[in-house]
Amino acid sequence: METAAACGADALVGRARAQIASAGLRPRRLSSSEQESLTVPELAAARHAARGLDNAAIAKELHIDSRTVAARLSAVFTKLGTDRLGLGRALGD
């Protein structure tokens, strides 16, 4: 998985992490390079989502549209190979 991440194969990394999670195992935490793959706005939305806020609340906090939040979180989930439930663990929170 590290090799795929180093090569920029984000979709492959995401699928591998999903397979690990579906097998009932705990995917490893993000390496610094995976955290660095997130943009600043994506990371801000992800941190709010990891705290349990819904998209409307995140949009209000960040002063953006809820569709923008959905798009940013979709990118986060793809890059990190997780979903909303595993986001806190993936971010190391």
Side-chain angles (χ1 to χ4, degrees):
M1 197 161 53
E2 289 81 12
T3 303
C7 293
D10 295 330
L12 180 59
V13 172
R15 286 193 302 272
R17 291 180 65 82
Q19 285 292 321
I20 290 168
S22 70
L25 302 173
R26 179 185 251 183
R28 64 176 179 72
R29 290 183 182 226
L30 283 174
S31 69
S32 61
S33 63
E34 288 170 318
Q35 285 181 328
E36 291 168 359
S37 73
L38 299 178
T39 65
V40 172
E42 289 170 349
L43 186 57
R47 288 206 167 123
H48 285 297
R51 288 187 9 237
L53 298 179
D54 63 13
N55 287 8
I58 296 169
K60 187 174 180 178
E61 286 283 322
L62 299 178
H63 307 288
I64 57 176
D65 190 80
S66 62
R67 290 174 295 183
T68 303
V69 172
R72 288 180 183 170
L73 290 178
S74 178
V76 167
F77 300 149
T78 299
K79 288 179 180 181
L80 303 184
T82 192
D83 59 12
R84 191 177 284 265
L85 296 176
L87 193 54
R89 188 173 354 150
L91 292 173
D93 294 343

